[in-house]
Amino acid sequence: MANKGPSYGMSRQVQDKIDKKYDPELEVMLVEWIVAQCGSGVARPEEGKLGFQAWLKDGCVLCELINSLYDGDKPVKKIQSSPMAFKQMEQISQFLSSAERYGVTKTDMFQTVDLWEGKDLAAVQRTLMALGSLAVTKEDGTYRGDPNWFFKKAQENRRDFSDDQLKEGKNVIGLQMGTNKGASQQGMSYGRPRQILNN
């Protein structure tokens, strides 16, 4: 955490819950993918959560990753390492906006402080998983690595019906609508009939 002391009480409990969501096995797989995707120019991080955060914190690796998923015009034009915090956060923001343009949904995105301050590295993992899944699904030749690392996203399976087929479908009674053939209330009684008393 950047310039913050230890947290106590409820905020400590909340942070502990967030920290438990971080998956060390997923970290290993994501590192393998990023190194395979970006090539030899990206060094491997130290093992563990803090090593993973330090590796991605300046935004350079993330920007290299998103650029590697494009064939022609790269979304992040200038990638340079900088010791200044605002430059590092700016590069993380460039990655996030490029990932959103690539197709990652807003709900799958982490916030810049989640990575930079180490507040929620599980959210960083979720974003990278969503990005990897999109890259595998697109099948545009830019994905490098084992395709089994990520699941493919569901794709549209559009069907076109003719007017005759649509009219024919209106005559079919679906099973969820039920049927009343042979059903009546004859012989059914529910308890005694209502008694009207005169006083």
Side-chain angles (χ1 to χ4, degrees):
M1 302 234 184
N3 299 312
K4 293 192 173 212
S7 54
Y8 299 98
M10 182 66 95
S11 56
R12 181 73 204 156
Q13 289 175 351
V14 169
Q15 190 59 48
D16 285 345
K17 261 188 180 175
I18 290 171
D19 289 344
K20 285 180 185 169
K21 291 180 181 178
Y22 184 80
D23 186 351
E25 292 174 12
L26 182 57
E27 171 199 316
V28 171
M29 192 271 297
L30 287 171
V31 167
E32 289 300 319
W33 173 55
I34 292 170
V35 169
Q37 185 69 39
C38 296
S40 58
V42 177
R44 289 181 177 275
E46 290 181 30
E47 250 183 68
K49 190 175 177 178
L50 293 176
F52 188 67
Q53 180 201 3
W55 188 50
L56 300 176
K57 185 177 178 180
D58 67 355
C60 291
V61 172
L62 293 173
C63 289
E64 290 287 345
L65 175 64
I66 196 70
N67 277 352
S68 71
L69 294 173
Y70 283 84
D71 257 343
D73 205 21
K74 306 295 183 195
V76 181
K77 304 293 182 214
K78 190 175 179 185
I79 303 171
Q80 65 184 117
S81 186
S82 172
M84 292 186 280
F86 75 92
K87 285 282 190 190
Q88 293 176 354
M89 287 190 206
E90 186 180 320
Q91 286 202 144
I92 294 170
S93 294
Q94 285 180 339
F95 163 77
L96 290 172
S97 60
S98 299
E100 190 175 353
R101 280 195 308 274
Y102 189 73
V104 178
T105 58
K106 270 265 197 233
T107 53
D108 287 334
M109 300 290 240
F110 66 88
Q111 300 292 314
T112 303
V113 293
D114 291 339
L115 172 59
W116 204 84
E117 293 182 5
K119 286 188 180 284
D120 190 358
L121 292 176
V124 176
Q125 288 182 325
R126 281 192 306 273
T127 302
L128 293 173
M129 282 297 294
L131 183 64
S133 293
L134 266 171
V136 167
T137 305
K138 284 188 176 188
E139 294 180 344
D140 58 3
T142 58
Y143 177 82
R144 292 186 279 283
D146 187 348
N148 297 321
W149 284 338
F150 302 102
F151 61 89
K152 278 190 169 188
K153 294 205 177 258
Q155 297 191 337
E156 183 180 44
N157 187 3
R158 189 165 178 79
R159 297 196 170 94
D160 294 317
F161 295 103
S162 69
D163 288 337
D164 292 339
Q165 288 173 316
L166 291 172
K167 285 177 188 172
E168 196 175 302
K170 289 180 182 176
N171 298 331
V172 175
I173 297 175
L175 292 176
Q176 70 267 25
M177 292 180 197
T179 180
N180 65 355
K181 290 188 175 158
S184 73
Q185 291 183 334
Q186 183 179 4
M188 295 175 79
S189 64
Y190 293 100
R192 294 176 46 174
R194 188 167 133 187
Q195 301 292 318
I196 300 174
L197 302 174
N198 293 328
N199 287 344

